[in-house]
Amino acid sequence: MRSAGFLLPLALGASGAILYEGATIISFNENDERVSILDDASMLIDGDTIAALSEGTIDSGIPGNTTRVNATGKIISPGFIDTHTHLWQTAFKTIGSNTSLADYFQKFGEYGQSASVFTPEDLYLGQLAGSLERVHVGTTTVLDHAHASWSREGTDSCINGSADSGVRTVYAHAIHEVAGAWSWDEQISKLQSLTKDDRFHADNGLLTLGLAYDRFFDAPASNLSTLWNITKGANLSVVTTHHLGGPWGFTNSPTALHSHGWLNDTIPVVFSHSSFLNYKDAQLLRETNQYISTTPESEFHFGHNHPHANRIQDQASLGVDCHFTYSSSMVNQARMWLQNLRAGRYLNTLEKWEVPTNSPMSVEQAFYLITRAGALSLRRPDLGTIQVGSKADFVVYSTDSPNMLGWSDPVAAIILHADVGDIEDVIVNGAYVKRAGKLLYSNYASLRSRLTASAKRIQKVWAETEWPALEGSLQNGEGAPYGPTEIIDTLRGNGTGY
Ligand SMILES: *[C@@H]1O[C@H](CO)[C@@H](O)[C@H](O)[C@H]1NC(C)=O
Ligand SMILES: *[C@@H]1O[C@H](CO)[C@@H](O)[C@H](O)[C@H]1NC(C)=O
Ligand SMILES: *[C@@H]1O[C@H](CO)[C@@H](O)[C@H](O)[C@H]1NC(C)=O
Ligand SMILES: *[C@@H]1O[C@H](CO)[C@@H](O)[C@H](O)[C@H]1NC(C)=O
Ligand SMILES: *[C@@H]1O[C@H](CO)[C@@H](O)[C@H](O)[C@H]1NC(C)=O
Ligand SMILES: *[C@@H]1O[C@H](CO)[C@@H](O)[C@H](O)[C@H]1NC(C)=O
Ligand SMILES: *[C@@H]1O[C@H](CO)[C@@H](O)[C@H](O)[C@H]1NC(C)=O
Ligand SMILES: *[C@@H]1O[C@H](CO)[C@@H](O)[C@H](O)[C@H]1NC(C)=O
Ligand SMILES: *[C@@H]1O[C@H](CO)[C@@H](O)[C@H](O)[C@H]1NC(C)=O
């Protein structure tokens, strides 16, 4: 099941520390919560930690066996943090290119036919490939809403896929009622055993366990108290839930969680989307210091949208959601969100017949959402920034390609100009997972051919399935009827080109 040769990351500090010199480093100042740019700077990594950081050279406190890296002309950025995704879904790559969210629920979500079609092998491969896709784009921490939890073996396969990838993962195991899958009691028993599973207690701390649950709005109180007992008893790393509101329903709102006593606690809660959250929900997030995860491209692509989520970006991090349908790059997500928020605020002024004078959002704010805010949403202040004492999770950008020439502001260079090809090295927990532009996962050729075969088999099943038309109203929604959207016309004359 598991690849024979999984990742053996090159530890930077196992037998010697490493010193980067000459770089532009995007550091951070906690006093004002702003980035702090260090020019011609040095950074010492010892083990899994950033041990020293300074402009110019570092002369003292350098361990004997330290490797020096000349990073002149490079930009060193904190690794990016993705706070909402479903890593198992890789095999659907490109077949959801034009689906609405209602389509998604029917075809690609946790309640459809996936539970009976995906084997544990498919899940392992999808999870591993989805995780490596994150490494490739410079994401060093991911919160996985892991809802391919339809059986013991499938769950274990997903966890193994995450463990083998080398990316820091908060694995939020989903408890749900899926027809034909395991019972509530079996799920609770598996969750209890996961709290003691060695894979979540490794010395490197890369993989931690959380809970994903989507029925706060209607579950019996006894179910919730069973889950809270386990969550609190095992001090799980996170609770995460899909929250939409509006015509969608899925009202797993801050208000709902607060009414059950889950919100105002030490355990972080991440609300994905929170598209239509209301004013009181927003106030509760601020009072309890909990976060939403806005997934910009997903919310555009599927149509959740974010009419009110855009008003609570002071308690927000960003996520990718379904990497089978769009970019898994957090930088792409930040860029898209930045320009969308700008467009909306500009429009507010233009609608008043006024000419906007200033830009409503800065690149630094966009960068903050995919770094520091992601870490705070997980209550991990040791992640998401480059500071002495932080975990050594970072990305080294080359600035040699034409799109980067002429840069002076490293944050603008990353948010607006860089692409994945500019990423040279990715380091997680002091170990290279990508180096000189290449993933270090050792069995990639085998993974590629096995994942390709798995995707081909699964996509054939999807192509041959007859999908009933969407009629009436969304299942588990609040009764709002389905309605059509207006199709865009991109062809001259007759036809639309859709
Ligand atoms: C020094 O570090 C290098 C690379 O990390 C390693 O190959 C070598 O064995 C180390 N030497 C000693 C004496 O620890
Ligand atoms: C570091 O690299 C730069 C650019 O390639 C070069 O100009 C410089 O001489 C190098 N410094 C050292 C100490 O090797
Ligand atoms: C939507 O995309 C899928 C996959 O690319 C394609 O098979 C399907 O024909 C498209 N649907 C429409 C209405 O164009
Ligand atoms: C997961 O990996 C462990 C070793 O860490 C192995 O014992 C187990 O069989 C694997 N589970 C599956 C379902 O592949
Ligand atoms: C609540 O728990 C019961 C078992 O006690 C289970 O049958 C039911 O599916 C659960 N409901 C939800 C919404 O989790
Ligand atoms: C969980 O339930 C057990 C047994 O009822 C109880 O002893 C324990 O205190 C509970 N733990 C929490 C965190 O609620
Ligand atoms: C729970 O875990 C967090 C993060 O590791 C830790 O800071 C906190 O002290 C733990 N709380 C308890 C009650 O063990
Ligand atoms: C959260 O708990 C703190 C400390 O127990 C309390 O002061 C505060 O009022 C609570 N906030 C809410 C929104 O319940
Ligand atoms: C467009 O459709 C109309 C009405 O069906 C038809 O008369 C006309 O020839 C079509 N034009 C082209 C360019 O196909």
Side-chain angles (χ1 to χ4, degrees):
M1 186 70 48
R2 208 163 177 177
S3 307
F6 52 85
L7 184 81
L8 288 175
L10 263 95
L12 296 175
S15 51
I18 189 158
L19 179 62
Y20 284 85
E21 294 178 297
T24 297
I25 300 180
I26 305 174
S27 179
F28 192 75
N29 183 346
E30 282 192 14
N31 295 326
D32 60 3
E33 284 287 309
R34 303 295 296 265
V35 300
S36 161
I37 307 301
L38 307 180
D39 291 314
D40 188 15
S42 302
M43 176 168 78
L44 179 69
I45 308 299
D46 199 359
D48 62 6
T49 304
I50 297 170
L53 191 62
S54 167
E55 284 195 328
T57 54
I58 296 176
D59 299 320
S60 59
I62 299 173
N65 189 15
T66 293
T67 307
R68 286 175 185 260
V69 176
N70 182 354
T72 304
K74 316 280 185 210
I75 298 171
I76 298 184
S77 167
F80 308 115
I81 300 184
D82 173 352
T83 56
H84 181 65
T85 189
H86 310 292
L87 291 168
W88 62 272
Q89 293 176 323
T90 314
F92 294 138
K93 190 74 63 81
T94 72
I95 67 169
S97 66
N98 51 19
T99 47
S100 66
L101 186 57
D103 275 329
Y104 169 89
F105 287 137
Q106 182 190 52
K107 300 190 174 98
F108 304 115
E110 71 210 273
Y111 299 108
Q113 65 184 14
S114 298
S116 57
V117 178
F118 278 68
T119 64
E121 162 86 353
D122 294 322
L123 292 175
Y124 172 78
L125 296 169
Q127 188 87 8
L128 175 56
S131 301
L132 291 176
E133 190 173 333
R134 298 323 200 279
V135 171
H136 179 60
V137 298
T139 295
T140 52
T141 297
V142 59
L143 166 52
D144 187 32
H145 183 126
H147 59 17
S149 47
W150 305 300
S151 69
R152 277 176 183 273
E153 199 188 352
T155 296
D156 286 327
S157 298
C158 287
I159 296 167
N160 284 354
S162 281
D164 289 354
S165 73
V167 71
R168 192 183 294 283
T169 306
V170 181
Y171 186 91
H173 173 73
I175 300 288
H176 48 187
E177 294 172 283
V178 178
W182 50 357
S183 70
W184 168 267
D185 288 344
E186 288 168 317
Q187 292 186 68
I188 293 299
S189 139
K190 179 62 180 173
L191 178 60
Q192 278 164 331
S193 75
L194 289 180
T195 65
K196 300 182 193 83
D197 193 307
D198 288 345
R199 291 171 294 180
F200 295 112
H201 299 101
D203 289 342
N204 63 19
L206 278 184
L207 198 58
T208 60
L209 182 67
L211 172 72
Y213 190 65
D214 281 352
R215 298 293 288 275
F216 288 97
F217 64 92
D218 70 346
S222 61
N223 295 43
L224 291 173
S225 66
T226 301
L227 290 175
W228 183 244
N229 187 293
I230 298 170
T231 300
K232 206 49 196 159
N235 192 24
L236 295 185
S237 303
V238 78
V239 169
T240 192
T241 187
H242 285 108
H243 171 217
L244 293 175
W248 300 107
F250 297 90
T251 325
N252 297 299
S253 61
T255 304
L257 270 79
H258 195 45
S259 72
H260 294 291
W262 289 55
L263 196 67
N264 197 18
D265 195 84
T266 55
I267 305 224
V269 180
V270 175
F271 296 86
S272 31
H273 316 302
S274 286
S275 304
F276 289 81
L277 93 170
N278 62 32
Y279 182 75
K280 187 177 161 211
D281 289 328
Q283 290 308 109
L284 272 176
L285 290 173
R286 293 180 176 120
E287 283 169 25
T288 59
N289 196 15
Q290 302 288 14
Y291 281 68
I292 68 168
S293 177
T294 294
T295 60
E297 193 167 10
S298 166
E299 292 156 2
F300 292 129
H301 178 105
F302 289 123
H304 327 47
N305 236 301
H306 23 243
H308 295 142
N310 82 82
R311 296 261 159 218
I312 182 78
Q313 293 298 303
D314 53 323
Q315 294 288 155
S317 54
L318 301 190
V320 164
D321 204 1
C322 305
H323 64 281
F324 72 96
T325 37
Y326 33 72
S327 174
S328 58
S329 158
M330 290 306 296
V331 172
N332 288 353
Q333 297 304 329
R335 183 180 305 164
M336 197 174 297
W337 190 226
L338 168 69
Q339 306 297 24
N340 176 261
L341 287 176
R342 285 174 170 172
R345 298 300 193 271
Y346 279 135
L347 195 57
N348 292 346
T349 302
L350 290 165
E351 279 174 344
K352 291 186 284 178
W353 275 332
E354 291 171 3
V355 173
T357 50
N358 59 302
S359 174
M361 184 171 174
S362 70
V363 291
E364 184 181 333
Q365 290 176 304
F367 186 80
Y368 184 88
L369 291 175
I370 59 171
T371 54
R372 172 73 165 175
L376 294 181
S377 74
L378 299 170
R379 300 197 174 166
R380 289 292 306 265
D382 57 335
L383 303 178
T385 62
I386 294 183
Q387 299 181 80
V388 173
S390 294
K391 289 286 182 220
D393 290 8
F394 59 95
V395 180
V396 181
Y397 275 92
S398 161
T399 60
D400 292 339
S401 61
N403 49 304
M404 299 292 266
L405 294 185
W407 71 278
S408 54
D409 173 352
V411 176
I414 289 176
I415 293 293
L416 298 176
H417 300 281
D419 58 43
V420 174
D422 299 307
I423 293 179
E424 224 157 62
D425 301 336
V426 180
I427 288 90
V428 178
N429 215 38
Y432 285 105
V433 286
K434 182 175 188 176
R435 193 170 195 182
K438 293 273 181 226
L439 287 180
L440 292 194
Y441 176 75
S442 67
N443 214 9
Y444 189 71
S446 159
L447 170 66
R448 192 178 57 208
S449 61
R450 289 158 71 204
L451 186 279
T452 303
S454 159
K456 197 168 175 186
R457 182 186 74 80
I458 287 164
Q459 294 191 9
K460 184 163 183 285
V461 176
W462 259 249
E464 288 170 356
T465 302
E466 291 206 17
W467 303 99
L470 296 173
E471 283 166 352
S473 60
L474 187 64
Q475 219 188 344
N476 294 325
E478 295 195 329
Y482 286 128
T485 59
E486 180 192 349
I487 297 293
I488 302 289
D489 182 357
T490 55
L491 284 193
R492 272 171 64 78
N494 294 344
T496 62
Y498 187 89

